[in-house]
Amino acid sequence: MSAESPRVSRLEPYLNRAEPAPTLLKMLVGVQLAGIREDARLSQDQAARAVGFSPAKLSRIEAGKGRRPPTEGDVRALLKLYGTEEYEASVLLQLLRRAGEPGWWQRYDKRLMPEWFDRLVGLQEAATAIRTFEIQYVPGLLQIPAYTRAVVERGLPTAPVREVERRVELRTRRTLLLERPDAPQLWAVVDESVLLRVLGGREVMREQLDHLVKMAALPHVTVQVVPLDVTHASAPSIPVTYLRFGGSDLPDVVYLEQIRSATFLEDQDETEEYRVTLDRLADEALSPRDSLALLRETAETRYRPAP
Protein backbone atom coordinates (compact mmCIF):
# COMPACT_ATOMS: atom_id res chain seq x y z
CA MET A 1 0.00 0.00 0.00
CA SER A 2 1.44 3.37 -1.00
CA ALA A 3 2.01 6.39 1.17
CA GLU A 4 -0.88 8.10 -0.64
CA SER A 5 -3.42 5.43 0.35
CA PRO A 6 -6.69 6.67 1.89
CA ARG A 7 -6.00 4.75 5.09
CA VAL A 8 -2.65 6.43 5.68
CA SER A 9 -3.92 9.87 4.71
CA ARG A 10 -6.68 9.51 7.32
CA LEU A 11 -4.19 8.49 9.99
CA GLU A 12 -1.60 11.24 9.53
CA PRO A 13 -3.68 14.11 11.03
CA TYR A 14 -3.92 12.25 14.33
CA LEU A 15 -0.14 12.54 14.71
CA ASN A 16 -0.43 16.30 15.13
CA ARG A 17 -3.04 16.50 17.88
CA ALA A 18 -2.01 19.07 20.49
CA GLU A 19 -3.64 17.20 23.38
CA PRO A 20 -2.78 13.59 24.24
CA ALA A 21 -5.65 11.31 23.27
CA PRO A 22 -4.61 7.85 24.44
CA THR A 23 -8.11 6.34 24.41
CA LEU A 24 -8.81 7.58 20.89
CA LEU A 25 -5.44 6.45 19.58
CA LYS A 26 -5.70 2.99 21.18
CA MET A 27 -9.03 2.55 19.42
CA LEU A 28 -7.64 3.88 16.16
CA VAL A 29 -4.63 1.56 16.25
CA GLY A 30 -6.93 -1.37 16.97
CA VAL A 31 -9.35 -0.52 14.16
CA GLN A 32 -6.50 -0.15 11.69
CA LEU A 33 -4.92 -3.45 12.74
CA ALA A 34 -8.27 -5.18 12.27
CA GLY A 35 -8.64 -3.64 8.81
CA ILE A 36 -5.12 -4.63 7.76
CA ARG A 37 -5.74 -8.17 9.03
CA GLU A 38 -8.92 -8.41 7.00
CA ASP A 39 -7.07 -7.14 3.90
CA ALA A 40 -4.58 -9.98 4.48
CA ARG A 41 -7.56 -12.41 4.47
CA LEU A 42 -6.81 -13.72 7.94
CA SER A 43 -9.38 -14.41 10.63
CA GLN A 44 -8.77 -13.18 14.14
CA ASP A 45 -8.09 -16.75 15.31
CA GLN A 46 -5.66 -17.41 12.47
CA ALA A 47 -3.71 -14.22 13.13
CA ALA A 48 -3.60 -14.82 16.89
CA ARG A 49 -2.24 -18.34 16.47
CA ALA A 50 0.36 -17.22 13.92
CA VAL A 51 1.96 -14.74 16.35
CA GLY A 52 1.42 -16.76 19.53
CA PHE A 53 -1.43 -14.65 21.00
CA SER A 54 -4.62 -15.90 22.50
CA PRO A 55 -7.70 -14.89 20.48
CA ALA A 56 -8.84 -12.88 23.51
CA LYS A 57 -5.62 -10.85 23.49
CA LEU A 58 -5.91 -9.97 19.82
CA SER A 59 -9.58 -9.11 20.34
CA ARG A 60 -8.62 -6.65 23.11
CA ILE A 61 -5.93 -5.08 20.93
CA GLU A 62 -8.31 -4.60 18.01
CA ALA A 63 -10.99 -3.19 20.33
CA GLY A 64 -8.53 -0.68 21.85
CA LYS A 65 -9.41 -1.74 25.38
CA GLY A 66 -7.34 -1.70 28.55
CA ARG A 67 -5.54 1.09 30.37
CA ARG A 68 -2.39 0.73 28.31
CA PRO A 69 -1.89 0.40 24.54
CA PRO A 70 -0.43 -2.84 23.18
CA THR A 71 3.34 -3.14 23.20
CA GLU A 72 5.30 -2.07 20.17
CA GLY A 73 6.67 -5.60 19.88
CA ASP A 74 3.17 -7.07 19.65
CA VAL A 75 2.10 -4.56 17.01
CA ARG A 76 5.28 -5.08 14.99
CA ALA A 77 4.66 -8.83 15.01
CA LEU A 78 1.15 -8.31 13.63
CA LEU A 79 2.28 -5.83 10.98
CA LYS A 80 4.98 -8.25 9.84
CA LEU A 81 2.48 -11.09 9.63
CA TYR A 82 0.13 -8.96 7.53
CA GLY A 83 2.89 -7.83 5.19
CA THR A 84 2.13 -4.18 5.89
CA GLU A 85 3.82 -1.62 3.62
CA GLU A 86 6.69 0.13 5.41
CA TYR A 87 5.31 3.67 5.42
CA GLU A 88 1.89 2.63 6.68
CA ALA A 89 3.55 0.56 9.41
CA SER A 90 5.68 3.54 10.47
CA VAL A 91 2.61 5.81 10.76
CA LEU A 92 0.76 3.21 12.81
CA LEU A 93 3.74 2.78 15.14
CA GLN A 94 3.95 6.55 15.62
CA LEU A 95 0.28 6.55 16.61
CA LEU A 96 0.97 3.72 19.01
CA ARG A 97 3.73 5.72 20.71
CA ARG A 98 1.44 8.74 21.03
CA ALA A 99 -1.19 6.43 22.53
CA GLY A 100 1.27 5.86 25.37
CA GLU A 101 1.30 9.55 26.33
CA PRO A 102 -0.87 9.91 29.45
CA GLY A 103 -3.93 12.11 29.41
CA TRP A 104 -4.41 14.56 32.27
CA TRP A 105 -6.99 12.29 33.90
CA GLN A 106 -4.58 9.36 34.05
CA ARG A 107 -2.48 11.18 36.62
CA TYR A 108 -5.16 10.63 39.26
CA ASP A 109 -5.22 7.76 41.74
CA LYS A 110 -6.65 4.61 40.15
CA ARG A 111 -9.09 4.39 43.04
CA LEU A 112 -10.68 7.56 41.72
CA MET A 113 -10.32 6.39 38.12
CA PRO A 114 -11.52 2.81 37.68
CA GLU A 115 -10.88 1.47 34.19
CA TRP A 116 -14.43 2.11 32.97
CA PHE A 117 -14.32 5.76 34.11
CA ASP A 118 -10.84 6.20 32.64
CA ARG A 119 -12.22 5.03 29.31
CA LEU A 120 -15.26 7.32 29.48
CA VAL A 121 -13.16 10.43 30.16
CA GLY A 122 -10.74 9.47 27.41
CA LEU A 123 -13.60 8.98 24.94
CA GLN A 124 -15.17 12.30 25.88
CA GLU A 125 -11.83 14.06 25.42
CA ALA A 126 -11.57 12.62 21.90
CA ALA A 127 -15.20 12.93 20.77
CA THR A 128 -16.43 15.43 18.21
CA ALA A 129 -20.03 15.08 19.40
CA ILE A 130 -21.51 13.97 22.73
CA ARG A 131 -25.20 13.32 23.30
CA THR A 132 -26.44 12.56 26.78
CA PHE A 133 -29.66 11.87 28.64
CA GLU A 134 -29.87 12.24 32.41
CA ILE A 135 -32.78 11.25 34.61
CA GLN A 136 -31.31 11.98 38.05
CA TYR A 137 -28.46 14.52 37.90
CA VAL A 138 -27.29 17.43 35.78
CA PRO A 139 -24.91 15.99 33.15
CA GLY A 140 -21.36 15.87 34.52
CA LEU A 141 -19.89 18.17 31.86
CA LEU A 142 -22.40 20.87 32.86
CA GLN A 143 -22.08 20.67 36.65
CA ILE A 144 -20.71 23.45 38.88
CA PRO A 145 -18.25 22.37 41.64
CA ALA A 146 -20.73 22.86 44.51
CA TYR A 147 -23.31 20.68 42.77
CA THR A 148 -20.66 18.06 41.99
CA ARG A 149 -19.65 18.02 45.65
CA ALA A 150 -23.25 17.33 46.67
CA VAL A 151 -23.47 14.48 44.13
CA VAL A 152 -20.23 12.93 45.41
CA GLU A 153 -21.26 13.26 49.06
CA ARG A 154 -24.61 11.68 48.30
CA GLY A 155 -23.02 8.74 46.52
CA LEU A 156 -20.14 8.30 49.02
CA PRO A 157 -21.52 9.44 52.40
CA THR A 158 -18.62 7.95 54.40
CA ALA A 159 -15.77 9.14 52.16
CA PRO A 160 -13.06 11.28 53.82
CA VAL A 161 -13.11 14.98 53.05
CA ARG A 162 -9.83 14.73 51.11
CA GLU A 163 -11.24 12.03 48.83
CA VAL A 164 -14.39 14.04 48.22
CA GLU A 165 -12.32 17.08 47.25
CA ARG A 166 -10.14 15.06 44.88
CA ARG A 167 -13.22 13.63 43.20
CA VAL A 168 -14.72 17.10 42.84
CA GLU A 169 -11.41 18.38 41.42
CA LEU A 170 -11.32 15.53 38.90
CA ARG A 171 -14.91 16.00 37.77
CA THR A 172 -14.56 19.77 37.57
CA ARG A 173 -11.44 19.38 35.42
CA ARG A 174 -13.55 17.39 32.96
CA THR A 175 -15.82 20.37 32.33
CA LEU A 176 -12.91 22.36 30.85
CA LEU A 177 -13.39 20.19 27.76
CA LEU A 178 -16.21 22.51 26.72
CA GLU A 179 -13.90 25.55 26.85
CA ARG A 180 -11.38 24.19 24.36
CA PRO A 181 -11.16 25.73 20.87
CA ASP A 182 -11.94 22.27 19.48
CA ALA A 183 -14.68 21.51 22.01
CA PRO A 184 -17.13 18.80 21.00
CA GLN A 185 -20.77 19.49 20.23
CA LEU A 186 -22.73 18.66 23.40
CA TRP A 187 -26.45 17.88 23.20
CA ALA A 188 -27.89 17.22 26.65
CA VAL A 189 -31.46 16.14 27.35
CA VAL A 190 -32.49 16.06 31.01
CA ASP A 191 -35.66 15.03 32.79
CA GLU A 192 -37.42 17.92 34.55
CA SER A 193 -37.08 16.06 37.86
CA VAL A 194 -33.34 16.86 37.69
CA LEU A 195 -34.19 20.55 38.07
CA LEU A 196 -36.42 19.89 41.08
CA ARG A 197 -34.15 17.52 43.02
CA VAL A 198 -32.33 19.70 45.57
CA LEU A 199 -28.64 18.89 45.89
CA GLY A 200 -26.36 21.12 47.95
CA GLY A 201 -29.14 23.47 48.98
CA ARG A 202 -31.36 25.99 47.21
CA GLU A 203 -28.57 28.48 46.53
CA VAL A 204 -26.45 25.78 44.87
CA MET A 205 -29.43 24.75 42.74
CA ARG A 206 -30.02 28.30 41.61
CA GLU A 207 -26.35 28.68 40.66
CA GLN A 208 -26.48 25.35 38.86
CA LEU A 209 -29.54 26.28 36.80
CA ASP A 210 -28.02 29.68 36.02
CA HIS A 211 -24.92 27.85 34.82
CA LEU A 212 -27.03 25.62 32.55
CA VAL A 213 -28.56 28.73 31.00
CA LYS A 214 -25.11 30.22 30.48
CA MET A 215 -23.70 27.07 28.92
CA ALA A 216 -26.72 26.57 26.66
CA ALA A 217 -25.99 29.98 25.13
CA LEU A 218 -22.74 28.60 23.69
CA PRO A 219 -22.95 27.64 20.01
CA HIS A 220 -21.69 24.11 20.66
CA VAL A 221 -24.01 23.31 23.59
CA THR A 222 -27.71 22.40 23.38
CA VAL A 223 -29.85 21.73 26.46
CA GLN A 224 -33.38 20.32 26.35
CA VAL A 225 -35.74 19.39 29.18
CA VAL A 226 -38.31 16.61 29.12
CA PRO A 227 -41.22 18.04 31.16
CA LEU A 228 -42.89 15.95 33.83
CA ASP A 229 -46.25 16.10 32.09
CA VAL A 230 -44.89 14.19 29.07
CA THR A 231 -45.96 10.81 30.36
CA HIS A 232 -45.31 8.97 27.10
CA ALA A 233 -41.65 9.95 26.84
CA SER A 234 -39.43 7.16 25.55
CA ALA A 235 -36.85 7.78 28.24
CA PRO A 236 -34.52 4.95 29.28
CA SER A 237 -34.32 4.16 32.98
CA ILE A 238 -30.57 4.85 33.24
CA PRO A 239 -28.30 7.65 32.02
CA VAL A 240 -27.11 7.33 28.42
CA THR A 241 -24.08 8.93 26.78
CA TYR A 242 -23.61 8.65 23.03
CA LEU A 243 -20.19 9.53 21.59
CA ARG A 244 -19.24 10.18 18.00
CA PHE A 245 -15.74 10.70 16.63
CA GLY A 246 -14.39 12.52 13.61
CA GLY A 247 -13.75 10.60 10.41
CA SER A 248 -15.04 7.23 9.35
CA ASP A 249 -12.49 5.02 11.09
CA LEU A 250 -14.01 4.80 14.56
CA PRO A 251 -17.41 3.44 15.56
CA ASP A 252 -19.89 5.40 17.63
CA VAL A 253 -19.86 4.38 21.30
CA VAL A 254 -22.72 4.24 23.79
CA TYR A 255 -21.87 4.47 27.49
CA LEU A 256 -24.36 3.10 30.04
CA GLU A 257 -23.49 3.76 33.67
CA GLN A 258 -24.38 1.51 36.59
CA ILE A 259 -23.66 2.08 40.29
CA ARG A 260 -20.15 0.60 40.37
CA SER A 261 -19.48 -0.22 36.74
CA ALA A 262 -20.44 0.67 33.19
CA THR A 263 -21.16 -0.88 29.81
CA PHE A 264 -19.73 0.33 26.50
CA LEU A 265 -21.58 -0.59 23.31
CA GLU A 266 -19.88 -0.36 19.92
CA ASP A 267 -21.91 -2.72 17.75
CA GLN A 268 -23.63 -0.58 15.12
CA ASP A 269 -27.05 -2.20 15.55
CA GLU A 270 -26.98 -1.53 19.30
CA THR A 271 -25.68 2.03 19.08
CA GLU A 272 -28.22 2.84 16.38
CA GLU A 273 -31.04 1.88 18.76
CA TYR A 274 -29.80 4.41 21.28
CA ARG A 275 -29.34 7.08 18.64
CA VAL A 276 -32.98 6.64 17.61
CA THR A 277 -34.06 6.72 21.27
CA LEU A 278 -32.19 9.98 21.85
CA ASP A 279 -33.74 11.43 18.69
CA ARG A 280 -37.22 10.58 19.98
CA LEU A 281 -36.44 12.08 23.38
CA ALA A 282 -35.29 15.30 21.73
CA ASP A 283 -38.56 15.42 19.80
CA GLU A 284 -40.59 14.85 22.99
CA ALA A 285 -38.61 17.37 25.03
CA LEU A 286 -39.18 21.09 25.07
CA SER A 287 -37.38 22.99 22.33
CA PRO A 288 -34.00 24.46 23.32
CA ARG A 289 -35.61 27.89 23.57
CA ASP A 290 -38.51 26.69 25.75
CA SER A 291 -36.10 24.63 27.83
CA LEU A 292 -34.10 27.77 28.62
CA ALA A 293 -37.30 29.53 29.63
CA LEU A 294 -38.14 26.65 31.99
CA LEU A 295 -34.63 26.73 33.49
CA ARG A 296 -34.93 30.45 34.17
CA GLU A 297 -38.44 30.12 35.57
CA THR A 298 -37.44 27.25 37.88
CA ALA A 299 -34.38 29.14 39.15
CA GLU A 300 -36.47 32.23 39.84
CA THR A 301 -39.61 30.68 41.34
CA ARG A 302 -38.31 27.57 43.10
CA TYR A 303 -34.86 28.78 44.16
CA ARG A 304 -35.41 32.50 44.59
CA PRO A 305 -33.10 33.93 47.28
CA ALA A 306 -34.80 34.59 50.61
CA PRO A 307 -35.71 38.27 51.12
Side-chain angles (χ1 to χ4, degrees):
M1 187 174 293
S2 71
E4 300 301 320
S5 73
R7 179 182 294 158
V8 172
S9 65
R10 292 199 304 268
L11 293 178
E12 289 172 329
Y14 292 101
L15 296 175
N16 301 318
R17 283 183 61 99
E19 294 287 333
T23 305
L24 170 75
L25 296 181
K26 279 186 298 184
M27 291 174 60
L28 193 61
V29 168
V31 166
Q32 298 307 315
L33 285 173
I36 297 170
R37 172 180 55 75
E38 290 166 1
D39 289 348
R41 301 182 184 279
L42 290 170
S43 70
Q44 206 172 62
D45 284 352
Q46 288 172 327
R49 286 198 301 270
V51 294
F53 294 172
S54 68
K57 177 177 178 177
L58 183 54
S59 177
R60 286 194 303 273
I61 290 174
E62 292 186 353
K65 294 180 178 177
R67 285 187 181 271
R68 299 181 180 278
T71 68
E72 186 168 324
D74 285 348
V75 173
R76 284 185 179 278
L78 292 169
L79 294 174
K80 181 178 179 181
L81 172 68
Y82 304 150
T84 310
E85 190 271 337
E86 184 177 353
Y87 182 73
E88 182 179 16
S90 71
V91 171
L92 202 59
L93 289 169
Q94 289 178 68
L95 286 177
L96 177 67
R97 294 177 194 120
R98 289 223 64 188
E101 298 174 11
W104 64 263
W105 63 96
Q106 294 176 321
R107 297 181 175 91
Y108 283 81
D109 189 307
K110 289 183 180 179
R111 194 159 57 91
L112 305 183
M113 290 292 296
E115 187 170 322
W116 56 268
F117 190 53
D118 177 293
R119 190 176 185 209
L120 170 66
V121 175
L123 290 173
Q124 288 182 328
E125 288 283 321
T128 56
I130 302 172
R131 299 181 65 178
T132 184
F133 169 70
E134 283 285 349
I135 198 168
Q136 187 169 13
Y137 301 123
V138 169
L141 292 175
L142 297 173
Q143 292 178 7
I144 62 171
Y147 184 92
T148 298
R149 182 174 292 103
V151 171
V152 172
E153 290 174 344
R154 182 178 186 181
L156 298 169
T158 62
V161 173
R162 175 59 179 163
E163 180 179 341
V164 170
E165 291 306 314
R166 286 288 282 169
R167 290 181 182 274
V168 172
E169 175 190 314
L170 167 60
R171 298 189 186 196
T172 300
R173 175 65 178 79
R174 290 172 60 201
T175 67
L176 298 181
L177 170 65
L178 297 178
E179 299 179 16
R180 288 189 344 205
D182 61 343
Q185 292 288 325
L186 175 65
W187 185 357
V189 178
V190 299
D191 190 83
E192 186 180 357
S193 61
V194 171
L195 314 183
L196 307 178
R197 183 173 295 107
V198 179
L199 288 170
R202 301 173 69 82
E203 183 178 347
V204 169
M205 289 303 299
R206 182 182 178 89
E207 291 176 3
Q208 177 62 77
L209 296 193
D210 287 345
H211 181 69
L212 283 177
V213 171
K214 175 184 175 183
M215 295 301 293
L218 298 174
H220 58 285
V221 177
T222 300
V223 176
Q224 288 184 263
V225 179
V226 180
L228 292 175
D229 58 7
V230 179
T231 57
H232 63 280
S234 54
S237 59
I238 59 174
V240 176
T241 298
Y242 188 104
L243 303 117
R244 176 160 287 178
F245 308 91
S248 58
D249 295 287
L250 298 173
D252 295 348
V253 176
V254 169
Y255 167 81
L256 305 174
E257 186 171 328
Q258 286 89 43
I259 295 176
R260 294 282 182 181
S261 62
T263 299
F264 292 86
L265 306 177
E266 297 178 33
D267 180 82
Q268 186 174 358
D269 290 338
E270 291 182 309
T271 59
E272 180 66 10
E273 287 184 21
Y274 282 94
R275 187 194 64 77
V276 170
T277 296
L278 292 174
D279 284 346
R280 287 176 182 161
L281 268 173
D283 288 341
E284 295 161 351
L286 297 175
S287 69
R289 182 174 181 175
D290 290 343
S291 295
L292 284 181
L294 179 59
L295 287 168
R296 292 190 182 101
E297 178 186 353
T298 305
E300 180 60 28
T301 60
R302 185 176 177 86
Y303 303 117
R304 179 186 303 165

